[in-house]
Each structure stands twice: as structure tokens, then as C-alpha cells.
Amino acid sequence: TTMSTEQFCSEVKKFEAEKTFSKLKEADVIKCFLAIPGYNDHLLRKRTAKAHLATFINQRYFEDDWSKA
């Protein structure tokens, strides 16, 4: 499974992101995709810059509850 960069809109650190993403278990891949809309909404609300995709995966941002952040 490959992550669509259009989902996250990031070409920065693409190699690192794809390498880390390929090591995720299937359940984490699903969590990753499901977390993106909530993360994007959080960024809009807080007017915060988006983390690089590699950071999003490596620091497991997809496990956070962005609706409460």
C-alpha cells in the first residue's frame, strides 16, 4: 500500500515518509488515512503549519484525537 501524497499535499521528505509508511501495520495505515481530515481541520482552526508527512507518521500523529486538540 502506498500513501497518496495528494491526501497530505507534501512532497517534502517523501522518501522517508514512504519508507516509514511501508512499515506500518494495516490497522495503522487505516488510522493514518482516517486521521488526516481531523488533522487538517485542527490546522485550520489553530492556524498552524502542517507537519511533514514523515513527521506525521514517525511521531504517530494519526493516533491523536484531533477533534479534541
Side-chain angles (χ1 to χ4, degrees), residues 27-51:
D28 289 336
V29 169
I30 293 167
K31 285 181 193 175
C32 198
F33 280 107
L34 292 176
I36 292 171
Y39 176 64
N40 286 336
D41 289 343
H42 167 76
L43 297 178
L44 287 173
R45 282 194 318 272
K46 300 295 182 176
R47 299 177 189 244
T48 306
K50 185 179 281 191

Side-chain angles (χ1 to χ4, degrees), residues 13-27:
K13 303 282 186 186
K14 184 177 178 180
F15 175 78
E16 289 86 354
E18 288 178 346
K19 186 170 87 173
T20 305
F21 184 79
S22 70
K23 295 178 183 177
L24 291 175
K25 294 179 183 173
E26 187 175 351

Side-chain angles (χ1 to χ4, degrees), residues 2-17:
T2 58
M3 179 167 240
S4 167
T5 52
E6 292 87 35
Q7 280 260 230
F8 208 80
C9 301
S10 177
E11 289 294 325
V12 178
K13 303 282 186 186
K14 184 177 178 180
F15 175 78
E16 289 86 354

